[in-house]
Amino acid sequence: MSDDQSRDREQGSPSHEEPSGSAQDPWTQGPQVAATASKASAAGEPSDDAETLRERQRLAQLEMMDRWIGGVLTEQRRARRWKLFFRFVVLTLVLVSITTTLYRVFVAEPTSSVPEQQHLALVEVQGVIASDAPANAERIIRGLNRAWESESAAAVVLHIDSPGGSPVQSQRIHAEIMRLRDLGDKPILAVIEDVGASGAYYIASAADEIIASPASLVGSIGVIYAGFGFQEAIDRLGVERRVMTAGENKAFLDPFQPLDEEVAQFWQTVLAQTHEQFIEDVRAGRGERLSGDSEVFSGLVWSGEQALALGLVDELASLEQVARARIGEAEWENYTPRLDPFERLTRRFTQAAAEVLGVESARSPLRFQAPWW
C-alpha cells in the first residue's frame, strides 16, 4: 500500500472500490441517486465522517421515494375520483333515459296531436271488468270522454273482448255511454271480438249499434254467485272454525258453515234483483230491436250469427269492415289511457299478500261474468 493510499484512509476518505460480486441497486445507487447523495453531502457539515454522509444519503433517498410515492398515490386518487364521477354521471343519464322511456310508454298520455283526418276513436275493453283490472270503469270512462271530444273522430268504438265481471263497474260504464249517447254528437259503436258476454254485453247494450263477428260469443245476460261448502271437510280434519259476529246473518256466506234454506232464498232474491237491473238496462239500450224470445235473458250465450237473429247485435262485421264502411279506410286511433306498470305491480303484490294473510277481498261476490271463465 502506497503512502498516498495510507494517508487517504487515515483522513477518512471513502473508498471508491465496490464490493466484489455486489449488484448495483437502482433505488439506492446509480447516477440520479449519486447526484442526490452528492447534494446531501455538500449540504452536510465539513466535519461529517463517511458514515454520517452515507446516512444523509440514505435519508435523502428515502425522502425522495416518499415524495414520489405520495405523488403517485395522489394522482391515483384523482383518477379514481374522476372515474367514479363519470360513472355516476353515466348511470344517472341511463336511469333518467329508462325512466323517461317507461313513463312515455306506459304512464303518460299520448302527446302526439290527434290525427286531422277522420278516424274511428277506439276505447279498449279487454279482459275481466273489475276495479283492480285494466278494464275498470275509471279508465274506460276517461277513454270514452277523450274519444268523444275528438273533433276528427267519426265515431266512438268500444272494442270489446271480455267475459264480463263486476256489476258495479259495468253499470258505471253503461251509464256514461248512455249519457254521451243522449248528447247525440257522434255515434257510439260496440265492436265485439271473441267474447262480449255478461258485463261486457251490459256495456255494449248502451251503444248505438253492436257489431260482432259470426263466431263471436254474445249474451250471457245473467248474474252468478259461486262458492264452496267445506263444513264436512273441516269436521273430518278436526279443525275448529272460530267466527264471531254481531248480527245473526253476518257470516251467512261462510263456506265452512252449512247454507240455511232461508238464507239461500234471501240470497236468491238479491241475485234476482240484480238480474232485473241488468235486463232493464239492456232493454233501455236495445229497445225494440230485441226479440221477444224469453231465452234472451236466461243467461245463455250465443254465437254472433244467433245473436243477430235475437236482436242482440245489429250487424256481422269486423273492425276493419266497420272502419271502411264509416270513413272509407281502416283507420283508427286508440284513446284508451295507458296503464301504469308500477301501479299494476303494487296492486298484484297487495292482492298476493292479502291472499297469503287470509284477508278478505273487497270484490263483490256477484258477477256479471260468463260462467266458463
Side-chain angles (χ1 to χ4, degrees):
M1 184 180 296
S2 64
D3 294 339
D4 293 335
Q5 290 176 343
S6 299
R7 191 179 302 109
D8 291 338
R9 184 175 296 276
E10 290 175 358
Q11 290 178 356
S13 301
S15 175
H16 298 288
E17 297 180 0
E18 298 291 338
S20 59
S22 62
Q24 190 179 40
D25 187 354
W27 292 98
T28 60
Q29 298 175 353
Q32 293 181 348
V33 177
T36 306
S38 61
K39 291 181 181 179
S41 300
E45 297 294 333
S47 59
D48 290 343
D49 56 11
E51 186 66 29
T52 303
L53 291 176
R54 282 195 295 270
E55 183 64 22
R56 287 183 181 276
Q57 179 183 358
R58 189 180 67 82
L59 292 175
Q61 292 171 352
L62 291 175
E63 183 180 0
M64 182 185 66
M65 290 181 62
D66 287 340
R67 291 177 180 175
W68 179 77
I69 293 173
V72 172
L73 293 176
T74 301
E75 290 299 324
Q76 288 180 345
R77 291 192 192 99
R78 289 176 181 172
R80 191 180 299 113
R81 290 193 191 102
W82 280 109
K83 186 181 294 184
L84 292 174
F85 172 75
F86 283 116
R87 286 180 179 176
F88 175 76
V89 171
V90 171
L91 180 60
T92 302
L93 293 175
V94 171
L95 290 176
V96 169
S97 176
I98 293 175
T99 304
T100 304
T101 302
L102 290 175
Y103 181 82
R104 289 177 178 175
V105 172
F106 295 104
V107 181
E109 301 295 339
T111 56
S112 58
S113 59
V114 176
E116 295 182 359
Q117 68 272 19
Q118 276 199 331
H119 62 278
L120 298 183
L122 232 65
V123 179
E124 301 282 357
V125 183
Q126 304 287 328
V128 176
I129 302 167
S131 59
D132 55 355
N136 62 76
E138 181 180 356
R139 180 169 178 252
I140 293 172
I141 289 173
R142 284 175 57 199
L144 279 169
N145 283 279
R146 290 180 58 233
W148 184 265
E149 293 167 2
S150 173
E151 296 181 357
S152 56
V156 177
V157 176
L158 287 157
H159 192 213
I160 297 173
D161 191 3
S162 168
S166 163
V168 174
Q169 298 291 304
S170 302
Q171 288 173 343
R172 286 178 60 189
I173 300 169
H174 181 278
E176 183 64 16
I177 297 172
M178 293 296 290
R179 185 188 73 82
L180 295 175
R181 177 175 164 180
D182 290 341
L183 296 178
D185 184 51
K186 64 186 66 173
I188 301 177
L189 312 177
V191 177
I192 297 174
E193 287 289 329
D194 292 294
V195 182
S198 204
Y201 186 79
Y202 195 118
I203 293 172
S205 67
D208 293 297
E209 295 181 32
I210 301 177
I211 299 99
S213 294
S216 298
L217 295 179
V218 182
S220 188
I221 302 173
V223 187
I224 187 172
Y225 163 76
F228 297 92
F230 297 105
Q231 63 272 13
E232 293 184 6
I234 198 172
D235 292 338
R236 291 179 182 178
L237 293 173
V239 178
E240 181 184 359
R241 173 74 167 165
R242 298 173 181 175
V243 179
M244 294 178 287
T245 64
E248 58 181 342
N249 293 317
K250 183 64 178 177
F252 74 95
L253 291 178
D254 188 344
F256 297 99
Q257 295 181 7
L259 185 63
D260 184 77
E261 184 64 27
E262 293 184 0
V263 170
Q265 291 178 1
F266 163 75
W267 193 235
Q268 190 61 47
T269 62
V270 175
L271 295 174
Q273 189 176 50
T274 309
H275 186 209
E276 190 61 33
Q277 295 171 4
F278 196 164
I279 294 172
E280 289 178 1
D281 285 340
V282 170
R283 281 178 172 160
R286 299 296 297 165
E288 297 180 355
R289 290 174 288 185
L290 287 171
S291 72
D293 194 330
S294 60
E295 293 294 303
V296 169
F297 303 113
S298 67
L300 289 175
V301 65
W302 291 274
S303 69
E305 192 170 355
Q306 292 172 317
L308 180 63
L310 293 170
L312 292 171
V313 303
D314 300 290
E315 184 183 349
L316 298 179
S318 65
L319 179 61
E320 290 80 7
Q321 291 171 329
V322 171
R324 292 190 182 99
R326 292 278 173 173
I327 58 176
E329 57 181 339
E331 188 71 30
W332 56 78
E333 186 77 14
N334 194 343
Y335 285 79
T336 315
R338 290 173 176 168
L339 294 171
D340 183 350
F342 304 106
E343 183 179 353
R344 291 183 64 185
L345 181 63
T346 303
R347 284 182 176 179
R348 289 181 180 178
F349 176 78
T350 304
Q351 292 173 3
E355 292 176 1
V356 171
L357 297 174
V359 180
E360 293 185 359
S361 172
R363 290 184 182 180
S364 169
L366 301 181
R367 309 295 285 171
F368 288 164
Q369 187 166 325
W372 68 85
W373 203 270

